[in-house]
Amino acid sequence: MPQPVTALLAAMITPAVLISGAGTLIMSTSTRVGRATDRVRGLTSRFKQLVSAEGQNEPLAREEKRLIIRQLPRLSRRTRFLMRALQAFYTSVALLVLTSILLGLDGLFDVNTGSLPLLVALGGSVSLAYGALLLSYEARYSAATTKEEMRFLEELGQHYAELYADELS
Protein backbone atom coordinates (compact mmCIF):
# COMPACT_ATOMS: atom_id res chain seq x y z
CA MET A 1 0.00 0.00 0.00
CA PRO A 2 1.46 3.40 -0.90
CA GLN A 3 2.42 5.64 1.99
CA PRO A 4 -0.08 8.43 1.25
CA VAL A 5 -3.01 5.96 1.28
CA THR A 6 -1.86 4.47 4.57
CA ALA A 7 -1.48 7.93 6.08
CA LEU A 8 -4.92 8.89 4.77
CA LEU A 9 -6.53 5.80 6.29
CA ALA A 10 -4.79 6.42 9.61
CA ALA A 11 -6.04 10.01 9.59
CA MET A 12 -9.59 8.88 8.79
CA ILE A 13 -9.58 6.28 11.58
CA THR A 14 -8.68 8.78 14.29
CA PRO A 15 -12.14 10.44 14.29
CA ALA A 16 -13.70 6.95 14.32
CA VAL A 17 -12.26 6.32 17.78
CA LEU A 18 -13.95 9.47 19.07
CA ILE A 19 -17.15 8.52 17.24
CA SER A 20 -17.13 5.20 19.08
CA GLY A 21 -16.76 6.98 22.43
CA ALA A 22 -19.55 9.41 21.52
CA GLY A 23 -21.77 6.46 20.57
CA THR A 24 -21.26 4.92 23.99
CA LEU A 25 -22.11 8.22 25.65
CA ILE A 26 -25.23 8.54 23.46
CA MET A 27 -26.43 5.11 24.57
CA SER A 28 -25.84 5.74 28.27
CA THR A 29 -27.32 9.25 28.10
CA SER A 30 -30.43 7.93 26.31
CA THR A 31 -30.84 5.43 29.14
CA ARG A 32 -30.50 8.23 31.69
CA VAL A 33 -33.18 10.27 29.87
CA GLY A 34 -35.49 7.27 30.05
CA ARG A 35 -34.82 6.82 33.74
CA ALA A 36 -35.48 10.51 34.46
CA THR A 37 -38.72 10.32 32.48
CA ASP A 38 -39.77 7.18 34.37
CA ARG A 39 -38.94 8.94 37.63
CA VAL A 40 -41.22 11.87 36.76
CA ARG A 41 -44.02 9.45 35.89
CA GLY A 42 -43.49 7.57 39.15
CA LEU A 43 -43.56 10.76 41.21
CA THR A 44 -46.69 11.92 39.40
CA SER A 45 -48.40 8.63 40.18
CA ARG A 46 -47.29 8.73 43.80
CA PHE A 47 -48.44 12.36 44.15
CA LYS A 48 -51.88 11.40 42.82
CA GLN A 49 -52.06 8.66 45.45
CA LEU A 50 -51.03 11.04 48.22
CA VAL A 51 -53.67 13.66 47.37
CA SER A 52 -56.46 11.07 47.39
CA ALA A 53 -58.55 10.70 50.56
CA GLU A 54 -56.85 7.42 51.38
CA GLY A 55 -53.37 8.72 50.62
CA GLN A 56 -53.74 11.73 52.88
CA ASN A 57 -53.94 9.37 55.83
CA GLU A 58 -50.56 7.80 55.09
CA PRO A 59 -47.75 8.56 57.55
CA LEU A 60 -45.84 11.70 56.59
CA ALA A 61 -48.03 12.22 53.49
CA ARG A 62 -47.69 16.01 53.68
CA GLU A 63 -43.89 15.78 53.92
CA GLU A 64 -43.74 13.34 51.01
CA LYS A 65 -45.87 15.66 48.84
CA ARG A 66 -43.48 18.50 49.65
CA LEU A 67 -40.54 16.27 48.76
CA ILE A 68 -42.11 15.46 45.38
CA ILE A 69 -42.83 19.10 44.66
CA ARG A 70 -39.21 20.01 45.50
CA GLN A 71 -37.89 17.22 43.26
CA LEU A 72 -39.81 18.12 40.11
CA PRO A 73 -37.79 21.26 39.22
CA ARG A 74 -34.59 19.29 39.82
CA LEU A 75 -35.81 16.49 37.56
CA SER A 76 -36.74 19.04 34.92
CA ARG A 77 -33.24 20.53 35.11
CA ARG A 78 -31.69 17.06 34.93
CA THR A 79 -33.71 16.25 31.82
CA ARG A 80 -32.62 19.51 30.16
CA PHE A 81 -28.97 18.71 30.91
CA LEU A 82 -29.41 15.22 29.47
CA MET A 83 -31.13 16.46 26.32
CA ARG A 84 -28.43 19.08 25.74
CA ALA A 85 -25.78 16.42 26.28
CA LEU A 86 -27.47 14.17 23.72
CA GLN A 87 -27.57 17.03 21.23
CA ALA A 88 -23.88 17.71 21.85
CA PHE A 89 -22.99 14.04 21.35
CA TYR A 90 -24.99 13.79 18.12
CA THR A 91 -23.37 17.00 16.88
CA SER A 92 -19.99 15.57 17.79
CA VAL A 93 -20.65 12.40 15.80
CA ALA A 94 -21.79 14.43 12.79
CA LEU A 95 -18.72 16.65 12.89
CA LEU A 96 -16.33 13.74 13.34
CA VAL A 97 -17.91 11.84 10.43
CA LEU A 98 -17.65 15.01 8.36
CA THR A 99 -13.96 15.16 9.30
CA SER A 100 -13.42 11.68 7.88
CA ILE A 101 -15.33 12.60 4.72
CA LEU A 102 -13.27 15.75 4.24
CA LEU A 103 -10.03 13.80 4.73
CA GLY A 104 -11.22 11.18 2.24
CA LEU A 105 -12.15 13.83 -0.34
CA ASP A 106 -8.79 15.48 0.09
CA GLY A 107 -6.94 12.20 -0.34
CA LEU A 108 -8.97 10.62 -3.12
CA PHE A 109 -9.89 13.55 -5.30
CA ASP A 110 -7.09 15.92 -4.37
CA VAL A 111 -9.63 18.47 -3.14
CA ASN A 112 -7.74 21.05 -1.15
CA THR A 113 -9.67 21.19 2.12
CA GLY A 114 -6.86 23.04 3.86
CA SER A 115 -7.30 23.19 7.61
CA LEU A 116 -11.05 22.56 7.41
CA PRO A 117 -10.81 18.90 8.57
CA LEU A 118 -8.79 19.99 11.60
CA LEU A 119 -11.30 22.71 12.48
CA VAL A 120 -14.26 20.36 12.05
CA ALA A 121 -12.53 17.69 14.17
CA LEU A 122 -11.82 20.30 16.81
CA GLY A 123 -15.49 21.29 16.80
CA GLY A 124 -16.47 17.63 17.23
CA SER A 125 -14.08 17.23 20.13
CA VAL A 126 -15.33 20.39 21.82
CA SER A 127 -18.91 19.19 21.41
CA LEU A 128 -17.98 15.84 22.96
CA ALA A 129 -16.32 17.58 25.92
CA TYR A 130 -19.34 19.88 26.37
CA GLY A 131 -21.69 16.90 26.47
CA ALA A 132 -19.51 15.18 29.06
CA LEU A 133 -19.53 18.33 31.20
CA LEU A 134 -23.32 18.46 31.03
CA LEU A 135 -23.46 14.84 32.19
CA SER A 136 -21.36 15.72 35.22
CA TYR A 137 -23.83 18.47 36.16
CA GLU A 138 -26.74 16.08 35.67
CA ALA A 139 -25.08 13.49 37.89
CA ARG A 140 -24.76 16.10 40.64
CA TYR A 141 -28.49 16.86 40.47
CA SER A 142 -29.28 13.17 40.48
CA ALA A 143 -27.16 12.63 43.59
CA ALA A 144 -28.80 15.58 45.38
CA THR A 145 -32.26 14.17 44.63
CA THR A 146 -31.26 10.73 45.89
CA LYS A 147 -29.79 12.22 49.06
CA GLU A 148 -32.98 14.13 49.76
CA GLU A 149 -35.07 11.00 49.22
CA MET A 150 -32.84 9.02 51.55
CA ARG A 151 -33.37 11.63 54.28
CA PHE A 152 -37.12 11.30 53.84
CA LEU A 153 -36.91 7.50 54.02
CA GLU A 154 -34.93 7.81 57.24
CA GLU A 155 -37.71 10.00 58.67
CA LEU A 156 -40.31 7.47 57.54
CA GLY A 157 -38.30 4.65 59.08
CA GLN A 158 -38.03 6.60 62.33
CA HIS A 159 -41.79 7.16 62.28
CA TYR A 160 -42.45 3.43 61.98
CA ALA A 161 -39.81 2.62 64.56
CA GLU A 162 -41.58 4.91 67.03
CA LEU A 163 -44.93 3.24 66.26
CA TYR A 164 -43.51 -0.19 66.97
CA ALA A 165 -41.76 1.08 70.10
CA ASP A 166 -45.13 2.28 71.42
CA GLU A 167 -46.71 -1.13 70.69
CA LEU A 168 -43.91 -2.97 72.51
CA SER A 169 -44.18 -0.81 75.62
Side-chain angles (χ1 to χ4, degrees), residues 18 91-92 95-96 118-131:
L18 292 174
T91 299
S92 177
L95 291 172
L96 293 167
L118 179 62
L119 292 173
V120 173
L122 186 61
S125 298
V126 167
S127 187
L128 192 59
Y130 175 66

Side-chain angles (χ1 to χ4, degrees), residues 7-115:
L8 176 63
L9 285 175
M12 289 178 70
I13 288 172
T14 301
V17 173
L18 292 174
I19 291 167
S20 175
T24 301
L25 288 169
I26 286 170
M27 288 176 49
S28 70
T29 304
S30 295
T31 300
R32 288 164 85 164
V33 168
R35 290 186 67 171
T37 301
D38 290 344
R39 183 73 184 126
V40 169
R41 288 181 182 139
L43 287 176
T44 300
S45 176
R46 180 66 181 146
F47 192 81
K48 286 178 181 178
Q49 288 173 348
L50 290 169
V51 296
S52 71
E54 187 178 305
Q56 290 181 17
N57 293 326
E58 288 189 31
L60 303 177
R62 178 175 289 162
E63 290 80 359
E64 189 173 359
K65 285 185 280 190
R66 286 185 185 136
L67 172 70
I68 291 170
I69 290 169
R70 281 193 313 268
Q71 284 186 350
L72 289 175
R74 210 177 277 141
L75 280 165
S76 176
R77 204 170 293 128
R78 278 183 61 198
T79 304
R80 281 195 306 273
F81 279 133
L82 289 167
M83 292 308 297
R84 287 182 191 145
L86 269 177
Q87 291 170 338
F89 295 145
Y90 283 125
T91 299
S92 177
V93 168
L95 291 172
L96 293 167
V97 168
L98 181 58
T99 299
S100 290
I101 291 170
L102 289 170
L103 290 169
L105 288 174
D106 191 19
L108 285 175
F109 302 111
D110 202 28
V111 176
N112 185 7
T113 56
S115 60

Side-chain angles (χ1 to χ4, degrees), residues 137-158:
Y137 288 128
E138 184 274 335
R140 189 174 63 183
Y141 278 98
S142 178
T145 301
T146 301
K147 187 176 180 181
E148 186 176 29
E149 256 184 70
M150 289 170 58
R151 277 194 299 264
F152 173 76
L153 288 174
E154 288 172 359
E155 287 177 33
L156 192 59
Q158 186 64 34

